[in-house]
Amino acid sequence: MLYKTAEISKKHPLLQSWVDQIVALCQPDSVWLCDGSEEEFQFLAQQMVENGTFIRLNPEKRPNSFLARSDPADVARVEERTFICSINKDDAGPTNNWRPPVEMKATLHKLFDGCMKGRTLYVIPFSMGPLGSDIAHIGVQITDSPYVVCNMRIMTRMGKQVLDLLKPDDFFVPCLHSVGKPLSPGQKDVAWPCNKEQYIVHFPEEREIWSFGSGYGGNALLGKKSFALRIASVMGRDEGWLAEHMLILGITNPNGEKKYITAAFPSACGKTNLAMLTPTLPGWKIETVGDDIAWMKFSPDGSLRAINPEAGFFGVAPGTSMISNPNAMRSIESNSIFTNVALTDDGDVWWEGLTAQPPAHLIDWQGRDWTPASKEKAAHPNSRFTAPASQCPVIDKAWEDPAGVPISAILFGGRRSSVVPLVAEAFDWEHGVFMGSSVSSEMTAAAAGEIGKLRHDPFAMLPFCGYNMGDYFNHWLKMGTTVESSKLPRIYYVNWFRKNGEGKWIWPGFGDNCRVLKWVFERVSGKGEAEKKAIGYVPAHDGIDVTGLTMSHADLDQLFEVNHNEWLHEVEEMERYLAMFGKFLPKPIHNQLSKLRERLQHDT
Ligand code: TSX
Ligand code: MN
């Protein structure tokens, strides 16, 4: 099953010379060019079953699906070990870890020297986005992890078709990854090889990614956060498009009219749930284009076109259930990889929130016996499913359209128990960009830090912007001037998480969020009643369809309340935060802040 790299050389001299260089550096035992076939996936999966990396789930419960348990220390993205190595420190900005590229390359060369001894080096050609789309881009990941190969096959369009498309001089993003655990001759491998020393490194000018030491998620599946957000955000800035941490959904009204909406939220706000929402309003339909990343470009007709660069979902398992997200549940019925969830006695998976009652016995994510009396969680809070997007029952017809889908509205949001109303519409693009820059969310137990503390996360891009966030705001402002303002999507700020005086969530959320989307749909259709308030347009009385909801008048009023004193405090807080961007903060953002303060002081 081993391929000669000579297969690459005739048509892809650039790729060949990069692979040759990396083979010489990493010194693997063998080299495997991935063709992306079903047979290849089965071969690697079976090999991982035999060496203990994968557990094959019960084919009667979960056909062609596998469970992987990571090293207990390799369970999440490592932001402190993530670097943006631009030539100038200012180009990485105040929100990124920066190192000089030359110094970092020297460090990495030492680490990667011989790091694949005893292992196979896999070459994975992949496309982010539908093959051949104007908005798509090609990458090639080199990795020594077959777990990564199998996940990349679900998460991207991967294999032979991509090389067929790549012309000899075509650029691709080189993505180098190693788990950083060479094997000496005869040394037995572990189920989840990794290294305590970890580096997730981006060279934005060269469009290169080097990742060392971790086999997990965003650290290792380099097409996702590293390429599709950190490197692509830089490509978008340079080339005039947008790479965003956004879901994409289609919404159809009872008359059969359809619009597309993107939405950016920090973690723990339920992005995947919104992307696959089951509407509670009769006659409305929501369909999924993507749940995590959107690449957007203005087309010649002036519409903003979005593609989902991914081909699968890498979703957080805990909390996912037939109640919270039945469409996700059906997406993961087969052909899926589960990482760090619990194993049931009948060979299926379980996690907290899947069922009201936990099973009487489980094997937990670390391979230990678990019962409901156990103190620890059965599944890791960041445990994941990897599933093909094509298996989503409500996947949109146009999800693989190379032209992308036309975006009518962009939503920002966060988890805020007070101050922020259910929904507000920006006055114009510039005000909307200000809204994006103001995204903040209360931390949940899932993230490190104090529970309930507010964390700023502009555009939900804080860990994912590959350049200076101040420049990023400026890029968004500039994008708004490239087409007539009437053609621009409208921008909204939503908050599903406001609480009442008793500390209870006011808004039912989940499927009922379609009521908010209905108002957004009507607004972008030129209908939909709104009241102008200091913070933006909010739904007029009866603007939001609440038929069938049992909510008190007081609760409903509180849901939309804009308290000027609270908001003035918010403005001060925001000004302190934005100060870190110094001279890189675009003037219009600061002007928006000043204008908001004035409206809050003078309006009633
Ligand atoms: O995903 C969520 N969404 C978006 C859904 C489309 N969650 C889960 C957040 C963690 C990922 C929500 N949680 C949402 C929401 O809109 N709202 C809430 C808060 C909430 C939780 C439970 C209830 C109401 C609100 N109701 C009952 O428990 C009955
Ligand atoms: Mn994400």
Side-chain angles (χ1 to χ4, degrees), residues 77 224-225 229 245 265 271 291-293 384 464:
R77 288 186 297 103
K224 195 176 176 66
K225 303 302 190 182
L229 288 175
H245 192 201
F265 298 91
K271 235 162 92 209
D291 79 328
D292 196 36
I293 302 177
R384 299 281 170 153
F464 306 120

Side-chain angles (χ1 to χ4, degrees), residues 405-577:
V405 296
I407 301 304
S408 300
I410 298 172
L411 273 47
F412 296 107
R415 181 185 272 266
R416 296 294 302 268
S417 56
S418 61
V419 186
V420 181
L422 181 64
V423 57
E425 182 186 283
F427 297 126
D428 53 30
W429 182 265
E430 190 181 289
H431 181 224
V433 175
F434 171 72
M435 278 181 172
S437 74
S438 77
V439 170
S440 62
S441 202
E442 283 156 21
M443 289 188 289
T444 62
E450 299 157 55
I451 294 175
K453 199 175 176 277
L454 209 59
R455 186 203 199 209
H456 285 270
D457 188 354
F459 290 77
M461 282 288 278
L462 192 65
F464 306 120
C465 185
Y467 62 104
N468 189 314
M469 185 69 85
D471 284 344
Y472 168 92
F473 299 157
N474 198 46
H475 178 55
W476 263 83
L477 291 167
K478 263 194 3 217
M479 291 296 289
T481 66
T482 53
V483 298
E484 274 175 65
S485 56
S486 66
K487 300 229 161 126
L488 291 167
R490 300 239 194 124
I491 301 178
Y492 297 81
Y493 199 105
V494 299
N495 174 28
W496 320 132
F497 299 93
R498 198 161 188 175
K499 290 181 176 174
N500 63 16
E502 292 160 34
K504 295 221 170 76
W505 280 302
I506 304 172
W507 184 245
F510 298 95
D512 284 314
N513 290 337
C514 75
R515 298 166 190 273
V516 174
L517 299 181
K518 176 184 175 186
W519 182 72
V520 168
F521 186 109
E522 289 166 350
R523 289 292 293 167
V524 301
S525 308
K527 302 167 197 148
E529 295 297 315
E531 253 174 58
K532 194 170 183 177
K533 296 218 179 171
I535 62 157
Y537 294 109
V538 303
H541 197 69
D542 294 342
I544 296 268
D545 184 347
V546 291
T547 48
L549 289 185
T550 51
M551 233 195 287
S552 73
H553 263 288
D555 268 1
L556 205 54
D557 285 346
Q558 199 178 351
L559 197 55
F560 292 101
E561 195 206 356
V562 178
N563 179 304
H564 283 208
N565 278 331
E566 286 174 356
W567 270 91
L568 280 166
H569 185 267
E570 191 84 2
V571 165
E572 299 314 311
E573 218 283 312
M574 179 79 183
E575 186 161 47
R576 275 196 296 278
Y577 177 72

